[in-house]
Amino acid sequence: SQKIEQNSEALNIQEGKTATLTCNYTNYSPAYLQWYRQDPGRGPVFLLLIRENEKEKRKERLKVTFDTTLKQSLFHITASQPADSATYLCALDRGDSSYKLIFGSGTRLLVRP
Amino acid sequence: GAVVSQHPSRVICKSGTSVKIECRSLDFQATTMFWYRQFPKQSLMLMATSNEGSKATYEQGVEKDKFLINHASLTLSTLTVTSAHPEDSSFYICSAYDRGAYNSPLHFGNGTRLTVT
């Protein structure tokens, strides 16, 4: 079955630097991959979706890449701000045409002022 | 944007009682809603898929008689945790696609923190 691996250790960076978070999957290549932000005690909020035929997607300070050969997606936040501090989850389709997503356990990002 | 409202945000109940959680799509219709459960520092685990006008489908290992789901309208799904026990204490979150398309974003409610004493 598909497994999603995200770094469980928190990423601690200085304000203004670029944060890079990694999402690796182990099995089939998903049709698409999504990134969500989750704040403590809140539901996840959608950030970006990238399809299997796309290498890169950008939205303001966010950039997502998708490498189906490496089975990896990278999520970048440029010019990071303390307000970017949160847990970031990656999610993949289940590959069974069920429209259901499976989620990684997320990586916590802490941006120091 | 699409908004999913979940209520209550927190609930504390005694062991053996039942708790109902509501999930509403405020500005769109949702024929399908998903219920997740999340333990601290763990990923969201899909519990069940709620289908408007038909029975919910449950993921493997989820007891359908314990977690009752009703999707009576295109904007409301409810999850009832029956005969709750302390091990049911968790963060429950509902979600829906606003366009019914599998490759569109999932919109989540803000979750319900259930504590069973």
Side-chain angles (χ1 to χ4, degrees), chain A residues 9-60:
Chain A
E9 288 186 23
L11 179 62
N12 197 321
I13 65 168
Q14 185 73 41
E15 180 177 10
K17 301 292 186 185
T18 296
T20 299
L21 306 176
T22 304
C23 174
N24 294 298
Y25 55 94
T26 59
N27 202 345
Y28 60 87
S29 275
Y32 58 92
L33 186 149
Q34 302 186 22
W35 284 88
Y36 290 78
R37 168 184 173 140
Q38 187 175 23
D39 291 286
R42 307 296 292 267
V45 174
F46 171 77
L47 296 175
L48 280 169
L49 179 152
I50 187 164
R51 293 181 175 79
E52 60 180 335
N53 60 347
E54 298 175 316
K55 295 288 186 192
E56 184 179 294
K57 204 81 168 280
R58 290 175 185 260
K59 179 183 174 183
E60 297 172 354

Side-chain angles (χ1 to χ4, degrees), chain A residues 31-32 34 36 38 41-46 49 51 89 93-94 98-106, chain B residues 34 36 38 41-44 46 49 57 59 91 93 97 100 102-106 108-111 113:
Chain A
Y32 58 92
Q34 302 186 22
Y36 290 78
Q38 187 175 23
R42 307 296 292 267
V45 174
F46 171 77
L49 179 152
R51 293 181 175 79
L89 310 171
D93 67 282
R94 280 214 318 208
S98 67
Y99 302 172
K100 297 173 185 175
L101 295 181
I102 51 174
F103 284 82
S105 55
Chain B
F34 302 97
Y36 288 86
Q38 186 177 35
K41 298 188 180 179
Q42 293 188 26
S43 66
L44 281 74
L46 180 65
T49 303
T57 54
E59 296 300 303
F91 191 51
I93 319 176
Y97 290 111
Y102 76 93
N103 58 354
S104 64
L106 262 183
F108 285 86
N110 269 327
R113 172 74 58 194

Side-chain angles (χ1 to χ4, degrees), chain B residues 79-95:
Chain B
L79 168 69
T80 301
V81 183
T82 62
S83 187
H85 290 286
E87 57 264 32
D88 297 325
S89 298
S90 189
F91 191 51
Y92 294 86
I93 319 176
C94 67
S95 66

Side-chain angles (χ1 to χ4, degrees), chain A residues 39-80:
Chain A
D39 291 286
R42 307 296 292 267
V45 174
F46 171 77
L47 296 175
L48 280 169
L49 179 152
I50 187 164
R51 293 181 175 79
E52 60 180 335
N53 60 347
E54 298 175 316
K55 295 288 186 192
E56 184 179 294
K57 204 81 168 280
R58 290 175 185 260
K59 179 183 174 183
E60 297 172 354
R61 295 185 295 112
L62 309 181
K63 184 177 86 171
V64 171
T65 63
F66 193 3
D67 189 324
T68 55
T69 302
L70 292 179
K71 296 189 176 182
Q72 181 181 82
S73 174
L74 298 179
F75 176 79
H76 306 271
I77 305 176
T78 58
S80 60

Side-chain angles (χ1 to χ4, degrees), chain B residues 8-76:
Chain B
S9 58
R10 289 178 184 273
V11 59
I12 300 172
C13 71
K14 291 189 175 177
S15 190
T17 61
S18 295
V19 172
K20 181 187 280 188
I21 302 170
E22 290 190 350
C23 180
R24 294 179 184 274
S25 55
L26 295 188
D27 49 0
F28 66 99
Q29 293 182 332
T31 54
T32 301
M33 289 186 175
F34 302 97
W35 287 94
Y36 288 86
R37 181 174 180 173
Q38 186 177 35
F39 291 106
K41 298 188 180 179
Q42 293 188 26
S43 66
L44 281 74
M45 297 302 297
L46 180 65
M47 298 174 64
T49 303
S50 172
N51 304 297
E52 188 269 334
S54 65
K55 288 183 181 179
T57 54
Y58 291 81
E59 296 300 303
Q60 193 171 11
V62 178
E63 299 175 59
K64 62 180 181 182
D65 293 330
K66 179 162 189 63
F67 299 100
L68 300 179
I69 290 173
N70 185 283
H71 197 148
S73 76
L74 286 170
T75 59
L76 174 63

